Amino acid sequence: MTKDAAFTEFVAAHSRSLLRAAFLLTGDQQLAEDLVQDALARTYRAWNRLERLDNAAAYTRKTMYHLQVSWWRRRRVAEYVSDELPHRAAPGRDVDLEVVLHTALLRLPTAQRAAIVLRYFDDRTENEAAHILGCSRSSVKTRVRRGLATMRTLVPELEDLLT
């Protein structure tokens, strides 16, 4: 299989999960799409160094998280409240809960938000999250613990979900 064909197959298989994680990190659909595109472009440049598809997925996610941290350090994205929801909910989804959860995530410090997204939305182990974030396992545990405590304080409705 050629490099382009393998990369195209990789993008088709992983785009949705990458975009979902990017949206949780950025809080904005367009910024999430930009983040995924930048991470995929870097993955394509490094494609020959990646031996397995699993390595490519991990490399892309790690690149995405590092890019997002760099963006956070450079600038702040202005947030605004809207009376309209941008998308219609799929049947069986609790949109109100999703909005409250997303709002709570956006109020966390960036390190805590990244740790929580990796652990609970990307279903990463503490070791994997530590590797992606470039910190120790205990640091990930601390960030997650503090982030969840902050979310409980900021949004009491989430208490039942975060226990």
Side-chain angles (χ1 to χ4, degrees):
M1 183 180 294
T2 67
K3 173 183 175 181
D4 288 344
F7 184 74
T8 301
E9 185 176 306
F10 166 75
V11 170
H14 292 83
S15 289
R16 289 187 67 172
S17 65
L18 292 172
L19 188 57
R20 185 174 42 248
F23 178 74
L24 291 169
L25 286 170
T26 63
D28 180 88
Q29 185 67 29
Q30 286 76 30
L31 291 175
E33 290 170 2
D34 290 345
L35 180 61
V36 171
Q37 288 300 318
D38 285 351
L40 287 173
R42 290 174 188 232
T43 300
Y44 182 77
R45 287 194 299 266
W47 193 256
N48 291 332
R49 291 182 281 146
L50 305 172
E51 295 175 15
R52 297 187 344 244
L53 185 60
D54 292 344
N55 292 347
Y59 180 89
T60 305
R61 287 182 182 280
K62 184 173 183 174
T63 301
M64 192 170 66
Y65 292 115
H66 285 278
L67 284 169
Q68 182 59 25
V69 168
S70 295
W71 288 356
W72 281 328
R73 287 181 181 150
R74 277 186 274 168
R75 63 178 166 82
R76 283 293 207 201
V77 176
E79 298 177 15
Y80 61 93
V81 179
S82 173
D83 291 336
E84 297 178 29
L85 291 175
H87 304 288
R88 298 186 107 183
R93 287 179 58 184
D94 186 347
V95 176
D96 292 334
L97 177 62
E98 289 178 24
V99 169
V100 168
L101 182 60
H102 188 251
T103 302
L105 276 172
L106 290 176
R107 294 173 71 183
L108 292 177
T110 57
Q112 291 174 7
R113 184 185 327 165
I116 289 173
V117 167
L118 283 169
R119 288 287 290 128
Y120 297 107
F121 292 96
D122 276 355
D123 199 26
R124 299 292 179 162
T125 65
E126 290 169 347
N127 289 334
E128 291 172 331
H131 179 71
I132 290 170
L133 295 173
C135 64
S136 68
R137 181 174 169 255
S138 63
S139 183
V140 169
K141 290 171 74 171
T142 300
R143 290 174 186 181
V144 168
R145 187 184 74 247
R146 288 180 181 166
L148 292 177
T150 301
M151 289 173 72
R152 285 184 192 101
T153 302
L154 294 173
V155 188
E157 311 82 277
L158 295 177
E159 180 65 35
D160 292 338
L161 290 175
L162 301 177
T163 55

